[in-house]
Amino acid sequence: MRKLYIGLLILGLAFLTGCTSSKEVILESFDHDIKVCQDTCDIDLQSFSDYVITYRENLEAYQLTIAENKNEDRIYLNTGNTYPREQISRIDPITDNDAIPIVNPSRVVSYYFDLLEFYTSMIDMGNDLYKDSNTNITYQITNRSYGFDAYGGYYDQTVTYTSDVQGIISIKSSFIFNISPDNLEFEASFYYPNTGKLVYNYLFNDIYRAYSYVSNDEYSFKYIDINTGRHIGYTLDNGAKETEIYDPETQMFYEQHNSKYSVSLYHDMECVTFLTYALEDYLLQFSLYFMDGWDQLTYNDYFLRPYSSVYNAGYRVFSDFNIMAYPNGSNYYSVNIQKNLSETELSEFNFPEEFTGDITFSQLVQAYKDLSSKENILSIENLTPDLIKEKCLEILAIIKEN
């Protein structure tokens, strides 16, 4: 299976020769050469259980280079209690950031390690056959090849699942990885010969790309630049469309879910303000972290629940707004003003004078109008759904032939 990627590299480079437009730069694949052990590989499959300890330690260290505060002791706010502004935890806006998901590629690798641990620890090595008595699923492995050392390795196989519910499903897979405390590279593919489904993703030079293809009506693409935060995501699922784009140069995040549009401004990974159209009016949010004029928060105020209240020098302020405070999963609490605006109010409203975000309300509204005027917001990145589908089919054809 490793020979496959040499072929992919040659074909990919030939395909891309002379192409310099942004769509090729974003969609290009096969432009990597992940270094893994060759003749020095340990080919005792049981050795993976020893190596994976080091791999996970390196993965944890690598994640800390991206989100250095992700392991800090959690600080929880209690309902009805009042906290000084500086005690509200906002030290890790990175780990669970959906708009700028730079931690996600390392989470994908962690999942693949889980899969390898399953295959190397639960499969009977005598005949590569395992039956799970709990699920009544039988796993039959063929065409297995592998090799590991302290820095990474490769693992290829075809596994056939047989179950009472889903019948027989075959998956041809390959995983190549190289990991150290300050760098991560990997490539993985999963091809389902029964259905023609493909999942292919890789991380190289801190650029992550993921392709998934089920049919012409169901496919997806994800692009993440870990260094800049640039993020492009597109999913078509039987008519339902979802597009996400984060532009690190403007720090704007754009979303399109079918006919619903949303626009946000970020600053150093933190959301400053957000605008979308919901049902019969517009929903506006802007962060109190980018507001002067308050020094305390009563979290989930008993008299206002589910809302919170804020104070300045003991006096309640911004009482004409709904204030929502909530944890984002990581060690970060969002504290936002929420306001519903009619079409008329959209042209009359202004951010309070205490707002310090680097955008005016009229600029935010104009960004929303510009976005919602686009039938396909992928055009921001010179992409179209068809270009993504064509790249998925190109990868699928190459992997099917190998």
Side-chain angles (χ1 to χ4, degrees), residues 94 97-105 222 224 226 229-231 269:
I94 299 173
N97 195 316
D98 292 330
I100 317 171
I102 58 176
V103 176
N104 283 17
K222 177 77 74 173
I224 301 170
I226 292 174
R230 183 173 224 94
H231 169 211
M269 303 293 291

Side-chain angles (χ1 to χ4, degrees), residues 241 243 245 254-262 366-383:
K241 302 175 184 179
T243 309
I245 296 174
Y254 308 102
E255 296 177 272
Q256 181 182 7
H257 295 214
N258 295 323
S259 60
K260 179 181 179 181
Y261 296 82
S262 305
Q366 188 59 52
Y368 174 84
K369 290 181 177 179
D370 291 344
L371 183 72
S372 58
S373 68
K374 299 179 184 296
E375 181 178 350
N376 163 39
I377 72 170
L378 282 172
S379 61
I380 296 172
E381 296 287 359
N382 294 320
L383 294 173

Side-chain angles (χ1 to χ4, degrees), residues 28-317:
E28 74 176 4
S29 53
F30 327 135
D31 60 337
H32 48 284
D33 184 16
I34 298 173
K35 305 296 184 184
V36 297
C37 60
Q38 300 292 327
D39 297 335
T40 59
C41 286
D42 190 335
I43 57 173
D44 176 5
L45 191 56
Q46 297 298 330
S47 68
F48 177 78
S49 60
D50 297 323
Y51 285 126
V52 76
I53 297 173
T54 301
Y55 299 156
R56 289 196 181 279
E57 289 174 349
N58 287 345
L59 185 62
E60 175 67 19
Y62 170 77
Q63 289 178 335
L64 288 173
T65 67
I66 300 172
E68 62 181 357
N69 295 311
K70 80 180 194 71
N71 290 336
E72 294 286 336
D73 291 338
R74 292 291 303 273
I75 300 173
Y76 294 94
L77 304 184
N78 294 314
T79 294
N81 286 8
T82 300
Y83 299 89
R85 176 172 178 165
E86 61 273 11
Q87 286 187 11
I88 303 170
S89 180
R90 57 184 290 207
I91 64 173
D92 181 22
I94 299 173
T95 299
D96 294 294
N97 195 316
D98 292 330
I100 317 171
I102 58 176
V103 176
N104 283 17
S106 61
R107 288 174 167 168
V108 171
V109 172
S110 181
Y111 167 73
Y112 289 153
F113 285 161
D114 290 342
L115 283 181
L116 284 183
E117 284 189 288
F118 171 77
Y119 290 125
T120 58
S121 65
M122 297 184 68
I123 303 298
D124 185 306
M125 295 309 300
N127 54 19
D128 288 341
L129 182 68
Y130 170 76
K131 184 169 184 177
D132 189 328
S133 59
N134 294 320
T135 62
N136 204 32
I137 297 176
T138 299
Y139 304 83
Q140 175 75 56
I141 293 180
T142 56
N143 303 319
R144 177 152 56 186
S145 62
Y146 47 84
F148 307 102
D149 64 13
Y151 306 100
Y154 66 95
Y155 184 95
D156 308 325
Q157 71 174 19
T158 298
V159 58
T160 301
Y161 301 82
T162 304
S163 71
D164 297 335
V165 177
Q166 295 182 307
I168 300 175
I169 299 174
S170 182
I171 305 174
K172 180 181 179 182
S173 63
S174 176
F175 180 40
I176 302 172
F177 64 98
N178 189 321
I179 185 170
S180 68
D182 58 2
N183 188 54
L184 174 62
E185 300 172 343
F186 78 91
E187 178 181 50
S189 66
F190 298 85
Y191 170 58
Y192 297 68
N194 306 53
T195 62
K197 176 182 176 181
L198 168 73
V199 176
Y200 174 74
N201 54 8
Y202 70 93
L203 173 68
F204 187 71
N205 284 341
D206 292 327
I207 302 293
Y208 174 76
R209 295 179 177 90
Y211 302 84
S212 174
Y213 179 85
V214 177
S215 69
N216 287 342
D217 297 317
E218 188 175 345
Y219 57 90
S220 67
F221 170 69
K222 177 77 74 173
Y223 174 98
I224 301 170
D225 185 328
I226 292 174
N227 290 323
T228 68
R230 183 173 224 94
H231 169 211
I232 303 166
Y234 176 79
T235 299
L236 175 66
D237 186 359
N238 294 312
K241 302 175 184 179
E242 181 175 323
T243 309
E244 299 175 334
I245 296 174
Y246 174 72
D247 181 350
E249 295 179 5
T250 62
Q251 299 196 73
M252 297 295 292
F253 179 55
Y254 308 102
E255 296 177 272
Q256 181 182 7
H257 295 214
N258 295 323
S259 60
K260 179 181 179 181
Y261 296 82
S262 305
V263 63
S264 309
L265 173 68
Y266 278 73
H267 177 78
D268 292 341
M269 303 293 291
E270 294 186 281
C271 185
V272 179
T273 184
F274 162 88
L275 180 66
T276 190
Y277 186 77
L279 299 178
E280 298 180 353
D281 53 15
Y282 294 87
L283 173 63
L284 169 67
Q285 290 186 165
F286 51 101
S287 172
L288 274 162
Y289 295 138
F290 297 88
M291 292 273 288
D292 292 331
W294 67 282
D295 56 21
Q296 288 185 317
L297 167 80
T298 298
Y299 179 63
N300 287 349
D301 191 318
Y302 285 118
F303 298 102
L304 300 173
R305 291 178 66 183
Y307 301 112
S308 298
S309 55
V310 292
Y311 300 83
N312 191 39
Y315 293 94
R316 186 181 172 194
V317 291

Side-chain angles (χ1 to χ4, degrees), residues 4-24:
L4 161 65
Y5 298 99
I6 297 175
L8 290 177
L9 174 62
I10 294 171
L11 177 59
L13 290 176
F15 177 80
L16 294 171
T17 299
C19 297
T20 57
S21 69
S22 61
K23 63 177 178 291
E24 277 100 8

